[in-house]
Amino acid sequence: MVHFYGLLTLQREPVPLKSISVSVSIYEFVADVSATLNYENAEKVPLEAVFLFPMDEDSAVYSFEALVDGKKIVAELQDKMKARTNYEKAISQGHQAFLLEEDSSSRDVFSCNVGNLQPGSKAAVTLKYVQELPLETDGALRFVLPAVLNPRYQFSGSSKDSCLNVKTPIVPVEDLPYTLSMVATIDSKHGIEKVQSNCPLSPTEYLGEDKTSAQVSLAAGHKFDRDVELLIYYSEVHTPSVVLEMGMPKMKPGRLMGDPSAMVSFYPNIPEDQPSNTCGEFVFLMDRSGSMQSPMSSQDTSQLRIQAAKETLILLLKSLPMGCYFNIYGFGSSYEAYFPKSVEYTQQTMEEALGRVKLMQADLGGTEILAPLQNIYRGPSIPGHPLQLFVFTDGEVTDTFSVIKEVRINRQKHRCFSFGIGEGASTSLIKGIARASGGTSEFITGKDRMQSKALRTLKRSLQAVVEDVSLSWHLPPGLSAKMLSPEQTVIFRGQRLIIYAQLTGRMPAAETTGKVCLKYTLQGKTFEDKVTFPLQPKPDVNFTIHRLAAKSLLQTKDMGLRETPASDKKDALNLSLESGVISSFTAFIAINKELNKPVQGPLAHRDIPRPMLLGASTPLKIRCQSGLGKLKACSYSYDTTWMFLEEFPCVLERTHSSTHRTSLETYHAGFGENHLVQLIYHQNANGSWDLNEDLAKVLGMRLEEITAAHPAELVDSSGWATILAVIWLHGNGKDLKCEWELLERKAMAWMRVHAGSTMPLVVKAAITFLKSSVDPAIFAF
């Protein structure tokens, strides 16, 4: 009898994928990644192995090759339909074939087919891609190696062509048969201060005394329970720059790959201002699908997503300015709106919304985001109150292009700020809807707090609008710049701008320079950023800047097989084929014609299993809806709350332990021992607090004590309560100031009007009463 060790597929056969090894090379804010999938056929029959895996949607995949038993086979990028036909034809003729394609419905999912892998044969399949690294608010560059591919909800009308329709085996992370290794080399002329990660790393090894080069490795034993994230801190603040790259020598001038390409990065120094907008329509669209009942991360003590969502909505409600309009939607398989249409922000409407938030559950099934978006866009605009849409979702949606298209159609009437919740959120959806509307995107993973990122974004949305954004080039005669990036119309404080351009014409002699200028207007004042650069393009064997420029251009034209306008399909296809960057319309195909062994009957099909992420130590109950069936296949469909039996759908129910309880579920008003959240909950819409038992409980005092100390001759009871609350915030919640900063400003504004000239005396009395060390200067008398 033959014994196989390791995980078996659903057909009780060994899994052919053995390991994944990744090499990352980061220079300044660009990463070049090489990922190799190592296969081995331990069976006695030829195999076809299919592996679905996640990719960041900004990745420009430009190379695919296979090493089979020592022979290297380089893939060709072809029209997707042609590549599929050639793949099937090669297999039927007994050749070995490899196919890599981007999913037709979402840019962040890829499938790799290894066809006709002979018994005992080994194959190493390598794909290469480049991507820009996003800039975090603390100045870190964020590199993410996606390792988690969550099941995606499929709604009626979803593309039947999506590789996500395949019911892939899903297993506990500890049972995955393949391993992941990663080595990252980082180079920066500014010097590398430190490298942090959400995963265990080897100690940072500096490759020189000046610390301009360093290397880190992923510790062995990664469990695929989280994406691998690196936060890279350089020693100096980022500065504007222009990188000029030489075109392909064999390409004709006038073509994207034939001319030099420029990558321009700006860091506009937009001055920080007090949020000035009191107008606006703020709509919060919150995911309430079953997967929101999962923890924020794989840690046992991690807060549940739905609980973090409740606290976030409360903070947002308390931070809105008086006079604006708002509404809250919850969505899943269906959707609910708190109000038939957006309402004015008052004490009454705020309290009504808070009551609904306290009762909010992850009870709406799947993740159908398109219908509520359409409903929001159909609503009438409120004159003088531009729409600001905040979308919170774990991103488990199949047809992301349909959603992005809807947002893009309505981009003139709103800005969309998106938040991807938890590991494996769709980067295609989250980044795509923000990009389409001129908003920003955030990802909330590991120890990130949804509350902090949401309030930081609300603060951005309240800032004065940057207007009249323009970019101008100053180049020698005979040389011009053709913009490849979409026109920039919105700039936020702390944001990095990356712009791609194609330089056409005659390149000048050595030592000639060019200049590019960014201009914009803020509150009537004009600002200008400029950078001068040498006009000597540098060669790069990988043509990194050209590939990134092509990807940037593809993101504006390629909306998937179904949603791309006919006028853009041909352009997207030609651009993809010319640049070698994969798209919805192309696929990489490699054929080993030296292998010519006719297959007797169909190849044995092996789907590579994916990890099951339900949160650590989460007890499960499986309830068959029909009351029939036996659990044979562990394949997800629709949402992470669903599993499929052999024939009958079953509901997957979670029973969470007390480690996931939060302040939102134990206090009589909806809160527990989290005094910060309790205090914020009881703030009035105008920014004030009332002097009552709720405030006394937060302060840890008896109400009689607080009332007795009230300087009634200086201020009324609400003014006294508000000063006490603000001092308590500064003394006890300073680590989370970014979350309460806006509502504190509202309280301060109310106090200045309410207390007037007596405010310094009231503050002094309050600090003395609380025995606080808070500096009175925070009140900026």
Side-chain angles (χ1 to χ4, degrees):
M1 176 180 287
V2 177
H3 293 277
F4 289 114
Y5 297 92
L7 182 74
L8 304 182
T9 66
L10 297 179
Q11 295 79 23
R12 306 297 298 168
E13 303 293 350
V15 175
L17 179 62
K18 301 304 178 184
S19 66
I20 302 172
S21 56
V22 179
S23 174
V24 184
S25 177
I26 296 172
Y27 180 71
E28 302 299 0
F29 55 85
V30 174
D32 198 327
V33 183
S34 175
T36 300
L37 312 176
N38 296 295
Y39 293 87
E40 181 179 358
N41 184 1
E43 300 186 50
K44 295 184 176 181
V45 293
L47 297 181
E48 179 184 34
V50 180
F51 183 42
L52 300 186
F53 58 94
M55 291 279 286
D56 190 288
E57 95 113 23
D58 288 333
S59 302
V61 180
Y62 66 89
S63 175
F64 183 56
E65 61 187 39
L67 186 66
V68 184
D69 298 328
K71 177 180 173 55
K72 184 177 179 180
I73 309 161
V74 179
E76 178 186 350
L77 190 64
Q78 298 180 355
D79 176 284
K80 182 178 283 187
M81 297 301 109
K82 178 183 176 182
R84 287 177 176 175
T85 300
N86 288 340
Y87 175 81
E88 296 296 339
K89 183 179 178 181
I91 296 299
S92 67
Q93 293 176 346
H95 301 312
Q96 200 165 48
F98 304 85
L99 183 69
L100 178 72
E101 56 182 299
E102 178 182 285
D103 184 62
S104 59
S105 299
S106 189
R107 268 192 284 257
D108 60 349
V109 180
F110 278 65
S111 66
C112 178
N113 291 51
V114 176
N116 204 2
L117 188 62
Q118 294 295 300
S121 184
K122 294 181 180 180
V125 178
T126 300
L127 63 97
K128 296 179 181 179
Y129 64 91
V130 289
Q131 73 175 106
E132 306 161 5
L133 300 185
L135 183 67
E136 298 292 288
T137 55
D138 63 354
L141 290 169
R142 183 173 179 259
F143 169 77
V144 176
L145 179 68
V148 176
L149 176 58
N150 289 329
R152 304 286 176 92
Y153 180 84
Q154 300 177 38
F155 57 88
S156 56
S158 294
S159 172
K160 305 301 180 185
D161 192 43
S162 172
C163 61
L164 289 165
N165 291 327
V166 177
K167 290 184 174 61
T168 306
I170 296 193
V171 301
V173 291
E174 61 269 17
D175 290 338
L176 279 179
Y178 46 89
T179 60
L180 174 66
S181 62
M182 186 191 80
V183 177
T185 303
I186 304 158
D187 291 281
S188 171
K189 60 185 178 183
H190 300 296
I192 301 158
E193 184 178 301
K194 60 182 177 180
V195 181
Q196 297 178 339
S197 179
N198 63 334
C199 299
L201 295 178
S202 64
T204 302
E205 179 186 356
Y206 288 102
L207 306 180
E209 293 184 2
D210 56 0
K211 292 189 175 182
T212 57
S213 184
Q215 189 174 87
V216 294
S217 301
L218 181 67
H222 183 74
K223 295 297 185 182
F224 289 87
D225 59 342
R226 71 195 75 173
D227 296 335
V228 180
E229 177 184 281
L230 298 180
L231 292 176
I232 303 156
Y233 295 84
Y234 293 145
S235 299
E236 293 183 19
V237 177
H238 304 284
T239 54
S241 64
V242 176
V243 180
L244 202 58
E245 181 181 271
M246 195 178 293
M248 288 184 173
K250 296 181 180 180
M251 279 281 185
K252 292 182 179 180
R255 306 289 296 272
L256 169 63
M257 301 303 289
D259 287 330
S261 283
M263 181 186 197
V264 184
S265 59
F266 278 113
Y267 302 84
N269 187 23
I270 299 174
E272 184 172 11
D273 190 21
Q274 295 284 330
S276 56
N277 288 348
T278 57
C279 60
E281 178 188 5
F282 299 88
V283 176
F284 306 109
L285 180 57
M286 181 63 71
D287 194 336
R288 285 175 51 190
S289 62
S291 51
M292 287 291 288
Q293 193 65 20
S294 302
M296 288 294 296
S297 76
S298 57
Q299 300 173 13
D300 276 349
T301 57
S302 175
Q303 190 177 36
L304 297 183
R305 296 176 185 179
I306 192 65
Q307 294 167 347
K310 287 182 179 184
E311 289 190 10
T312 300
L313 284 174
I314 290 165
L315 284 164
L316 288 167
L317 283 171
K318 295 296 183 175
S319 302
L320 290 176
M322 296 294 289
C324 73
Y325 287 74
F326 79 100
N327 204 350
I328 298 175
Y329 282 72
F331 73 94
S333 300
S334 58
Y335 66 90
E336 299 174 356
Y338 283 17
F339 305 99
K341 62 179 182 180
S342 292
V343 295
E344 186 175 356
Y345 180 70
T346 65
Q347 183 67 23
Q348 179 182 345
T349 56
M350 183 196 73
E351 288 181 352
E352 186 176 343
L354 284 175
R356 297 284 296 272
V357 169
K358 282 196 298 181
L359 301 175
M360 188 175 74
Q361 299 294 329
D363 56 0
L364 291 182
T367 313
E368 291 199 27
I369 192 173
L370 188 59
L373 278 175
Q374 291 171 334
N375 182 267
I376 291 167
Y377 294 144
R378 279 197 298 267
S381 299
I382 302 173
H385 293 272
L387 175 61
Q388 311 263 32
L389 177 62
F390 290 67
V391 177
F392 299 84
T393 178
D394 54 22
E396 296 173 2
V397 180
T398 298
D399 198 351
T400 62
F401 285 123
S402 297
V403 179
I404 296 169
K405 179 184 178 182
E406 187 68 27
V407 174
R408 177 181 287 184
I409 290 171
N410 293 278
R411 65 184 180 276
Q412 298 298 332
K413 61 163 58 173
H414 84 303
R415 287 189 299 183
C416 179
F417 301 93
S418 55
F419 302 84
I421 302 170
E423 306 290 347
S426 169
T427 59
S428 182
L429 177 70
I430 303 304
K431 292 183 178 182
I433 59 178
R435 183 188 299 113
S437 62
T440 60
S441 59
E442 295 275 6
F443 290 87
I444 305 157
T445 59
K447 295 181 181 179
D448 291 342
R449 285 179 59 82
M450 186 190 307
Q451 299 90 324
S452 299
K453 294 201 170 187
L455 269 295
R456 185 168 65 230
T457 300
L458 177 63
K459 184 179 176 181
R460 277 179 175 172
S461 73
L462 291 169
Q463 292 287 338
V465 177
V466 172
E467 301 173 315
D468 302 326
V469 181
S470 64
L471 192 74
S472 59
W473 294 78
H474 302 274
L475 301 171
L479 188 65
S480 61
K482 176 184 176 183
M483 295 299 296
L484 300 175
S485 301
E487 181 182 1
Q488 194 75 34
T489 58
V490 180
I491 303 176
F492 296 100
R493 188 176 184 276
Q495 182 183 22
R496 178 188 63 198
L497 251 59
I498 295 181
I499 301 146
Y500 295 99
Q502 176 182 346
L503 298 189
T504 59
R506 183 174 56 84
M507 292 300 294
E511 299 182 6
T512 307
T513 60
K515 185 168 65 175
V516 59
C517 299
L518 174 72
K519 286 186 178 181
Y520 50 92
T521 303
L522 178 65
Q523 295 180 327
K525 186 177 179 180
T526 299
F527 295 83
E528 183 178 78
D529 291 346
K530 60 182 69 174
V531 57
T532 301
F533 59 97
L535 283 168
Q536 284 82 48
K538 295 182 179 180
D540 180 348
V541 293
N542 293 328
F543 298 95
T544 300
I545 305 303
H546 284 77
R547 313 278 194 198
L548 289 171
K551 181 67 176 183
S552 175
L553 200 51
L554 281 169
Q555 286 175 327
T556 65
K557 292 180 175 293
D558 181 1
M559 293 295 293
L561 292 176
R562 295 198 310 165
E563 301 296 346
T564 305
S567 58
D568 286 339
K569 281 186 178 180
K570 185 177 180 181
D571 289 344
L573 175 61
N574 290 338
L575 175 61
S576 177
L577 293 174
E578 179 189 339
S579 65
V581 174
I582 202 169
S583 71
S584 297
F585 306 101
T586 53
F588 280 104
I589 173 77
I591 300 174
N592 180 11
K593 294 186 177 180
E594 290 186 7
L595 179 69
N596 190 11
K597 296 184 179 180
V599 179
Q600 303 300 320
L603 286 172
H605 187 86
R606 301 289 179 257
D607 289 318
I608 308 300
R610 292 187 278 137
M612 174 167 55
L613 293 184
L614 296 174
S617 305
T618 305
L620 302 175
K621 293 191 298 183
I622 300 176
R623 171 170 54 84
C624 184
Q625 285 189 310
S626 61
L628 303 172
K630 293 175 64 180
L631 183 62
K632 290 188 177 180
C634 188
S635 297
Y636 277 99
S637 179
Y638 298 114
D639 189 81
T640 52
T641 54
W642 292 84
M643 300 177 78
F644 255 69
L645 298 187
E646 190 172 32
E647 296 181 13
F648 305 105
C650 293
V651 177
L652 186 69
E653 299 177 341
R654 294 179 180 84
T655 56
H656 292 281
S657 64
S658 60
T659 57
H660 293 298
R661 294 178 69 82
T662 183
S663 55
L664 288 163
E665 296 191 334
T666 54
Y667 184 52
H668 68 89
F671 300 93
E673 296 306 314
N674 188 333
H675 290 164
L676 175 62
V677 182
Q678 290 179 35
L679 180 68
I680 291 169
Y681 180 84
H682 292 294
Q683 186 188 30
N684 295 317
N686 63 7
S688 68
W689 272 268
D690 295 327
L691 186 58
N692 54 29
E693 291 286 358
D694 294 320
L695 178 64
K697 182 172 183 177
V698 172
L699 298 179
M701 298 178 172
R702 292 184 297 109
L703 180 59
E704 293 78 11
E705 290 180 78
I706 303 172
T707 303
H710 169 211
E713 72 282 4
L714 298 177
V715 71
D716 64 16
S717 61
S718 291
W720 178 237
T722 303
I723 289 290
L724 292 174
V726 170
I727 292 172
W728 189 95
L729 280 173
H730 281 273
N732 297 273
K734 55 186 177 183
D735 291 342
L736 296 175
K737 184 179 179 180
C738 61
E739 297 181 13
W740 50 259
E741 184 179 14
L742 289 176
L743 61 91
E744 183 252 10
R745 288 181 180 179
K746 193 161 59 167
M748 291 285 208
W750 181 87
M751 274 302 304
R752 290 189 185 97
V753 173
H754 199 71
S757 61
T758 66
M759 191 169 170
L761 295 175
V762 180
V763 169
K764 182 178 179 180
I767 289 176
T768 301
F769 171 65
L770 292 175
K771 298 178 181 178
S772 173
S773 60
V774 169
D775 186 351
I778 64 169
F779 289 90
F781 303 125

